[in-house]
Amino acid sequence: MIYRIYSEKFPELANEAKALRQELFRFLQIKGIDDLRILNRYDVEDIDEELFNRAKTTVFSEPQQDYIYDSLPVDTEAFVFAVEFLPGQFDQRADSAEQCVRFIKGDEQPIIKTAVTYMLIGNVSDDEVARIRDYTMNPVDSRVASDEKPETLGMDYDEPADVAVFDGFKDMDEAALKGLYESLGLAMTFNDFKWIQQYFAGDEHRDPTMTEIRVLDTYWSDHCRHTTVGTELKAVEFEDGYYRAPIEGAYKDYLAARDALYKTEDKKKEKFISLMDIALMGMKKLKADGKLTDMEESEENNACTVVVPVEVDYGQGPKTENWLVFFKNETHNHPTEIEPFGGAATCLGGAIRDPLSGRGYVYQAMRVTGAADPTVPVSETMKGKLSQKKLVRGAASGYSSYGNQIGLATGYVKEIYHPGYVAKRMEIGAVMGAAPQEHVIRESADPGDIIILLGGRTGRDGCGGATGSSKAHDSKSLVSCGAEVQKGNAPTERKLQRLFRRPEVSELIKKCNDFGAGGVSVAIGELAPGLDVNLDLVPKKYAGLDGTELAISESQERMAVVV
């Protein structure tokens, strides 16, 4: 049996509904709304009636601030619609509710689905209702929910097919190869694709699988291979303006340092001028001058790490011990552009996961973002994009939501408004963490070592995040790229932070890697030169995932550790 219940904030506390009504009035110029109500809908299955009634006022509502209804309140004058997450998208409200029900009675395994119901009261036309629905719902991760109560909440998943092999790939002519390339929506160039064909024909003497192509596409994406910042710069010019002198002076300093470090012409050809070389030159020069003695050097460095002596007192008198201090930044421009809440949330979660994989506990964050004018009417939004106001507000909400749940202070927040950001938003999060050096082991994997997957379960959200960030996009991207945006699970990453903080755990770990771009293939593949991976053992959010999806799904709350 499926139980359905609605919860709604008392009118005095219904701040979300009040804010949305004002936004619709000011931003969409819809002036006929007399009242707007927002109700959270829960469908619950596999739970007995006594427990459901107990959970009404402990899980699904708070008696001191919520009304609770067994059916939708009737208002014949109201326009009503509900919005729910797409199948396969992580629903944190439902996940948290399921966990809370199990806290009450541990032997229950409830299935819970949620939706947000909007009630519009007033003189509103059908066209205005449609505009409101489009404004409140992001097609990347959500859809309009049916009013009918389903017969079951369980999903019937088809048994995943075997991973496809591209039969005849190594022998295809260029026209056929081009057609296959265009059908796959890859981030790599066609020349990359042709090189893969030559490799499989000449070295492997076989055709590749879909998984191999997707993993290579991840590794060779601009996000991972840094082709943009690694492009050779052959002509550098400086525009006139206030900043010309300091920028040109800094560039001359770079060239002088480059001449000092790359003394031979062969070295200069190998290390050609690029944005990446410019970015690294300061560090290289400091190191060559003997002024960078406190940097930790290890093949496992997942974040910039320095060694700092710290005065500590654990109750037995003061002493000095060395701590590792971690710095890391993360850009989530593309995910935040198409799904602002989830994209900005995982910007912070993704920045945390790198120091975390180095066994560092993250204490502080900062956020710098770029947007176009958020006060522009929605009617002037660029075709195929979310409005700037929805981007700005959704991203701010997602970032703060994740930070609040994981318990991280963000001390500096700055948003830059400029028309240059109208086509693509900028979303940067940076974090700082630390850990006692004696609790962090840096060793290589040896034959016989075990690699353990820790943390959250695997789903389709997060498949293709790196490649999605590296592709050119058009007006269809908002609908077609939903799986590329992870749905962050801050409480799970918080558990990992607290686990790695315990020395009896961290001292067991020889090496660790986070599930960044490429998922399990990259996380585990970078830990040892040769290994076996059993994808059948990967914990899943739901059934039906095929081998490729299990192999490349990324997230910030999964780690692979060598013990």
Side-chain angles (χ1 to χ4, degrees):
M1 178 178 177
I2 293 178
Y3 299 94
R4 173 168 287 183
I5 197 169
Y6 296 85
S7 69
E8 180 185 22
K9 288 280 179 285
F10 294 163
E12 300 83 2
L13 302 175
N15 296 324
E16 182 183 2
K18 292 174 185 176
L20 179 58
R21 182 185 170 196
Q22 287 296 316
E23 205 165 307
L24 298 177
F25 179 82
R26 294 175 179 172
F27 193 46
L28 293 191
Q29 297 294 300
I30 296 175
K31 302 178 180 180
I33 301 174
D34 297 325
D35 192 17
L36 187 151
R37 299 170 65 182
I38 298 178
L39 302 93
N40 288 313
R41 188 182 86 187
Y42 298 88
D43 287 343
V44 188
E45 190 177 22
D46 291 348
I47 184 174
D48 63 56
E49 187 174 6
E50 180 185 354
L51 179 58
F52 175 71
N53 287 329
R54 186 178 171 189
K56 281 183 179 180
T57 55
T58 55
V59 175
F60 305 122
S61 70
E62 297 179 78
Q64 66 271 33
Q65 61 178 352
D66 293 325
Y67 291 122
I68 193 91
Y69 310 103
D70 291 320
S71 60
L72 189 66
V74 177
D75 189 328
T76 56
E77 301 297 321
F79 295 86
V80 180
F81 66 92
V83 175
E84 66 182 358
F85 281 116
L86 292 167
Q89 287 286 341
F90 176 63
D91 181 351
Q92 187 172 26
R93 184 186 296 275
D95 182 71
S96 297
E98 289 175 0
Q99 293 182 54
C100 290
V101 170
R102 290 198 292 270
F103 284 146
I104 300 173
K105 192 174 179 183
D107 58 352
E108 294 286 342
Q109 295 294 325
I111 303 174
I112 299 177
K113 303 290 185 185
T114 73
V116 178
T117 299
Y118 298 89
M119 298 182 68
L120 308 170
I121 299 97
N123 183 20
V124 188
S125 68
D126 291 341
D127 176 66
E128 288 175 327
V129 171
R131 288 167 57 202
I132 293 169
R133 189 169 55 230
D134 291 343
Y135 184 72
T136 55
M137 182 190 68
N138 185 349
V140 163
D141 67 351
S142 304
R143 67 183 181 187
V144 174
S146 171
D147 294 331
E148 298 296 321
K149 190 159 54 172
E151 294 183 4
T152 179
L153 300 180
M155 299 287 289
D156 289 326
Y157 294 98
D158 295 331
E159 189 66 25
D162 291 338
V163 172
V165 176
F166 293 109
D167 292 324
F169 176 87
K170 62 184 176 63
D171 299 316
M172 284 182 180
D173 60 31
E174 185 160 327
L177 192 69
K178 183 79 170 178
L180 176 61
Y181 167 80
E182 292 174 348
S183 72
L184 294 174
L186 301 172
M188 69 173 74
T189 67
F190 181 59
N191 283 335
D192 288 335
F193 203 55
K194 287 201 294 186
W195 191 94
I196 291 172
Q197 182 191 43
Q198 295 167 11
Y199 169 78
F200 274 91
D203 292 63
E204 295 287 326
H205 307 293
R206 64 176 177 88
D207 295 320
T209 65
M210 172 68 84
T211 306
E212 288 171 315
I213 294 297
R214 294 296 182 193
V215 171
L216 285 170
D217 197 39
T218 301
Y219 266 111
W220 289 2
S221 67
D222 184 59
H223 180 89
C224 296
R225 195 168 52 171
H226 305 302
T227 50
T228 299
V229 294
T231 298
E232 182 175 6
L233 303 179
K234 295 184 176 179
V236 178
E237 299 176 355
F238 300 91
E239 295 180 355
D240 289 331
Y242 182 78
Y243 293 104
R244 172 169 181 158
I247 293 175
E248 193 168 9
Y251 184 70
K252 289 177 179 177
D253 289 342
Y254 156 73
L255 293 177
R258 174 183 167 83
D259 287 338
L261 294 177
Y262 308 152
K263 298 185 185 301
T264 66
E265 286 305 311
D266 288 343
K267 190 68 175 176
K268 288 179 180 178
K269 277 187 179 179
E270 176 192 345
K271 302 286 187 180
F272 50 77
I273 296 174
S274 67
L275 293 174
M276 179 67 82
D277 195 55
I278 293 171
L280 295 176
M281 187 54 67
M283 179 270 295
K284 291 179 179 179
K285 185 70 166 62
L286 288 171
K287 194 171 182 181
D289 293 344
K291 297 178 181 178
L292 198 60
T293 58
D294 58 351
M295 185 178 75
E296 186 197 31
E297 293 194 39
S298 163
E299 64 178 37
E300 197 201 339
N301 274 343
N302 293 326
C304 175
T305 312
V306 296
V307 182
V308 178
V310 177
E311 294 290 332
V312 297
D313 189 340
Y314 300 118
Q316 299 174 339
K319 65 174 184 177
T320 301
E321 64 181 27
N322 286 335
W323 278 58
L324 301 178
V325 178
F326 304 86
F327 303 90
K328 176 65 180 177
N329 75 283
E330 182 95 2
T331 58
H332 265 51
N333 306 338
H334 166 67
T336 309
E337 178 69 41
I338 64 171
E339 205 287 87
F341 186 96
T346 58
C347 177
L348 180 57
I352 291 171
R353 75 187 177 197
D354 288 301
L356 176 57
S357 68
R359 275 75 84 206
Y361 192 94
V362 173
Y363 293 93
Q364 185 74 27
M366 64 179 287
R367 178 173 182 249
V368 179
T369 54
D373 184 357
T375 65
V376 170
V378 69
S379 58
E380 297 179 25
T381 301
M382 183 181 288
K383 185 180 178 182
K385 280 177 49 68
L386 300 173
S387 69
Q388 289 298 316
K389 178 166 284 190
K390 194 168 185 68
L391 286 170
V392 166
R393 291 191 171 180
S397 180
Y399 192 99
S400 63
S401 171
Y402 201 95
N404 290 337
Q405 290 182 77
I406 204 168
L408 179 64
T410 302
Y412 181 84
V413 178
K414 178 74 173 178
E415 182 139 270
I416 302 162
Y417 299 108
H418 189 278
Y421 294 116
V422 71
K424 180 60 72 78
R425 176 179 178 80
M426 178 177 72
E427 187 75 35
I428 298 172
V431 298
M432 182 173 142
Q437 188 176 28
E438 65 177 351
H439 295 165
V440 180
I441 310 301
R442 304 279 195 221
E443 295 180 2
S444 298
D446 294 316
D449 283 344
I450 302 297
I451 297 176
I452 301 172
L453 186 159
L454 296 173
R457 293 168 292 164
T458 295
R460 290 193 176 92
D461 53 311
C463 289
T467 51
S469 297
S470 307
K471 289 187 283 192
H473 291 275
D474 56 28
S475 60
K476 299 175 184 175
S477 299
L478 198 64
V479 177
S480 63
C481 300
E484 296 168 1
V485 183
Q486 305 162 46
K487 281 290 182 289
N489 188 342
T492 298
E493 189 172 29
R494 184 178 64 201
K495 291 175 186 176
L496 285 173
Q497 282 212 116
R498 293 174 175 179
L499 180 70
F500 280 16
R501 204 178 190 182
R502 297 169 60 176
E504 66 268 32
V505 173
S506 65
E507 291 174 12
L508 290 175
I509 300 171
K510 299 173 69 173
K511 200 173 184 180
C512 177
N513 205 359
D514 65 89
F515 275 60
V520 68
S521 297
V522 177
I524 295 180
E526 292 179 347
L527 289 174
L531 43 78
D532 293 319
V533 180
N534 188 344
L535 292 177
D536 291 333
L537 299 180
V538 174
K540 298 181 284 291
K541 292 179 179 176
Y542 35 77
L545 297 172
D546 65 29
T548 302
E549 291 168 326
L550 289 170
I552 67 171
S553 175
E554 64 175 292
S555 97
Q556 60 275 343
E557 57 270 353
R558 299 202 296 274
M559 295 284 166
V561 296
V562 180
V563 297

